[in-house]
Amino acid sequence: MNTFLGLWEIGTPKLYLIWIVVFLAQVAVAEINRRWLWTVFAIWMVGGIALMPYAAYHAVPMVGWFPFGKYVIMVTVSICNGVFLYMGRNNPRKFRRNIMVIGFIIWLGIATNIMEANIRDIAIYFHTDAYNTCAANWQCLKEINATHALDMINGLPETRGVTEPLHSDAWYQAVAANFAATNVGIDPETGFRTIGGYWNIMSAIAGCLNIITMTGWAKIAVTTNPKEKVKGLIWVDMVWPWVIAYDLWNHAFLYNALADYTWYCTLALLLAATIPAFWWAKGQWLWFRCYTLMFWIAMNNLLPEFLIAPGQSNFATMNPTANIVCSGLALISNVLLFAYWLYIVIVKRRNPVTSGIFQELGEYRTIAKEHFNDADKYWVVDMLPQTPQDFGLEPQSPTPPVDGFVTRMPWWGKEDKRYPKLRTPVAADPVLVAKGVQSDPRWDVRSDSKP
């Protein structure tokens, strides 16, 4: 059998053309949402909420409640990210003052999605025998079609060459015999083919490590460099080591759980976020991942008959070697990332949340220089002994701005516990002054401070 990368069958030219259209549509939607923020609220808040009843009525009978649940979650996440970007653009001081709450919400959204996938991976591992039994039982296959508005069986590779009358008992029996011969299972709830094995556990471990290594969420910011026309939501510590490790993990999980649909939902969907983040929207992987995923899940709920029915994408090869390779790469990359995380946290004593760990990377410097003014360049390192100059962020001034941003942790009380070095005074934020937060005059930069 001819395959593409050993993961999918070679499909028709139509499927490759559709892939290009899907990829470009995902990138275009996220870019439109980034450039014209009002479209987030018009499309995903007004439109997304208004279409929920239709999505439930239309998609749930076809593919079950899980995709609809993801649709509801992603509408919520998309609205939150839109609100955060709006706040950051219009009230940057308030945004940074509340970054612990904002950052935690963002972190929690991603972490919840990853952990949900990990649980699914583990469930597949423990249900492997049940899925295989269902696939080899013609009555179970018949029941799957009876409980789904879509025909989830006809069109699968196991139906090829079956000559019995379509959907007759003999037809289901022949299909079940083909499943039994290939040892491929099928989830009776979703109707999706799958093969379970220890690779599910490998992928789940990689996902857990990916959550741990999601660093620097207390330094998420919004573009302040006046040279940048589009003010984006910037997660400066979310650079290539984490993004690549995430992509490899996410692909491994989906190849384990939704193998036949990964032609679009990993190869196209992951690239639609990664390419912009490495090219023209550096530091904005979060934004593109959110809105490309939102678009894909919306289409799956609103047009499932075109995207979910068998034959709409390249089928997976269902070769355990492919699963082992994908999960192995995911695990290795995340173990290496975790080892680097440990090194930075233990040896360099850097807080992975309040300061991040990737300041030495060239991509970090590029993101900061492209998107931050001096206020942000000093803000992102004010919990560290180093200065922006030490990390090559190239601030225009050798001293922090008097009217810059102040890091504030909710558990500090009225103390200022930033690193004791020259820094923007608490007086730069009137709200903190009103709360009685005290500055240490030894480290406060003044308007008459000399380099």
Side-chain angles (χ1 to χ4, degrees):
M1 176 176 61
N2 293 325
T3 65
F4 184 82
L5 300 176
L7 303 178
W8 302 281
E9 297 179 358
I10 296 294
T12 63
K14 172 186 173 183
L15 293 179
Y16 292 86
L17 179 61
I18 294 175
W19 187 94
I20 294 173
V21 172
V22 168
F23 171 78
L24 293 176
Q26 290 169 338
V27 174
V29 168
E31 185 66 23
I32 288 170
N33 289 160
R34 185 175 76 105
R35 290 178 176 272
W36 298 283
L37 188 56
W38 65 267
T39 62
V40 169
F41 303 106
I43 298 173
W44 305 124
M45 184 169 73
V46 177
I49 294 174
L51 287 171
M52 278 185 187
Y54 173 78
Y57 171 80
H58 187 62
V60 171
M62 295 188 186
V63 293
W65 282 101
F66 182 76
F68 176 71
K70 294 289 286 186
Y71 174 77
V72 174
I73 291 171
M74 285 309 303
V75 166
T76 304
V77 170
S78 298
I79 294 171
C80 285
N81 280 339
V83 170
F84 293 151
L85 182 54
Y86 178 84
M87 180 193 300
R89 286 178 176 180
N90 293 277
N91 196 333
R93 202 171 301 283
K94 180 179 180 180
F95 180 92
R96 287 157 183 78
R97 185 191 315 128
N98 294 285
I99 193 57
M100 280 300 296
V101 175
I102 294 170
F104 178 74
I105 291 172
I106 293 173
W107 174 88
L108 184 63
I110 301 174
T112 300
N113 272 284
I114 295 174
M115 187 53 66
E116 179 187 47
N118 296 337
I119 293 170
R120 174 62 179 154
D121 242 328
I122 294 171
I124 291 173
Y125 175 79
F126 285 107
H127 286 88
T128 296
D129 290 341
Y131 292 166
N132 290 348
T133 299
C134 175
N137 184 330
W138 70 272
Q139 292 173 315
C140 188
L141 297 180
K142 187 174 183 178
E143 180 65 16
I144 289 173
N145 268 351
T147 54
H148 290 76
L150 281 177
D151 186 344
M152 301 300 294
I153 307 300
N154 187 36
L156 293 175
E158 288 76 12
T159 66
R160 296 167 185 167
V162 176
T163 58
E164 284 77 5
L166 183 63
H167 297 147
S168 66
D169 288 352
W171 183 83
Y172 281 110
Q173 290 167 0
V175 174
N178 288 341
F179 267 109
T182 60
N183 202 36
V184 173
I186 193 165
D187 182 348
E189 292 186 11
T190 63
F192 297 156
R193 296 192 308 159
T194 186
I195 52 175
Y198 63 86
W199 44 86
N200 295 106
I201 304 301
M202 294 165 63
S203 175
I205 294 172
C208 290
L209 293 175
N210 203 245
I211 293 174
I212 294 171
T213 54
M214 189 163 32
T215 58
W217 47 264
K219 291 301 182 183
I220 296 174
V222 173
T223 301
T224 48
N225 185 350
K227 295 180 181 179
E228 290 292 312
K229 294 181 179 180
V230 181
K231 296 183 182 297
L233 195 63
I234 310 299
W235 192 332
V236 66
D237 213 49
M238 191 167 274
V239 289
W240 70 264
W242 188 89
V243 172
I244 295 299
Y246 173 92
D247 283 355
L248 289 172
W249 162 77
N250 191 251
H251 170 72
F253 157 68
L254 288 167
Y255 199 77
N256 291 338
L258 305 169
D260 288 334
Y261 301 92
T262 52
W263 175 243
Y264 297 125
C265 69
T266 61
L267 188 60
L269 186 55
L270 290 175
L271 288 177
T274 301
I275 290 176
F278 288 173
W279 187 0
W280 69 85
K282 294 180 178 66
Q284 297 170 71
W285 176 90
L286 167 69
W287 185 268
F288 279 83
R289 178 59 176 166
C290 175
Y291 292 99
T292 54
L293 186 59
M294 178 70 257
F295 173 72
W296 175 252
I297 290 175
M299 293 301 100
N300 272 270
N301 277 269
L302 302 175
L303 302 170
E305 58 270 44
F306 297 104
L307 298 172
I308 298 299
Q312 303 307 306
S313 65
N314 282 358
F315 287 111
T317 57
M318 289 298 170
N319 182 345
T321 301
N323 295 76
I324 294 169
V325 170
C326 291
S327 294
L329 289 173
L331 183 57
I332 291 170
S333 64
N334 278 281
V335 167
L336 292 174
L337 177 60
F338 181 65
Y340 183 76
W341 181 93
L342 282 176
Y343 166 74
I344 296 294
V345 171
I346 295 173
V347 177
K348 297 200 173 185
R349 299 182 180 276
R350 201 168 293 171
N351 189 307
V353 173
T354 59
S355 61
I357 68 173
F358 291 111
Q359 287 84 357
E360 282 83 6
L361 267 62
E363 185 183 355
Y364 187 103
R365 292 194 296 273
T366 299
I367 293 170
K369 288 189 290 186
E370 285 188 4
H371 290 282
F372 292 163
N373 63 9
D374 276 11
D376 269 327
K377 288 177 181 178
Y378 281 96
W379 178 71
V380 295
V381 300
D382 66 2
M383 300 290 290
L384 298 170
Q386 294 87 352
T387 66
Q389 293 89 337
D390 294 330
F391 290 124
L393 306 189
E394 300 179 4
Q396 291 184 341
S397 171
T399 59
V402 176
D403 60 347
F405 302 120
V406 179
T407 293
R408 179 73 195 149
M409 299 299 159
W411 56 86
W412 283 356
K414 294 184 178 181
E415 294 182 72
D416 183 357
K417 295 186 178 181
R418 290 174 292 171
Y419 195 85
K421 62 182 180 181
L422 200 60
R423 60 199 183 194
T424 296
V426 171
D429 190 335
V431 173
L432 296 181
V433 174
K435 289 182 177 182
V437 178
Q438 301 294 320
S439 276
D440 188 333
R442 292 177 300 172
W443 310 113
D444 283 354
V445 66
R446 302 185 306 273
S447 58
D448 59 350
S449 294
K450 302 297 182 181

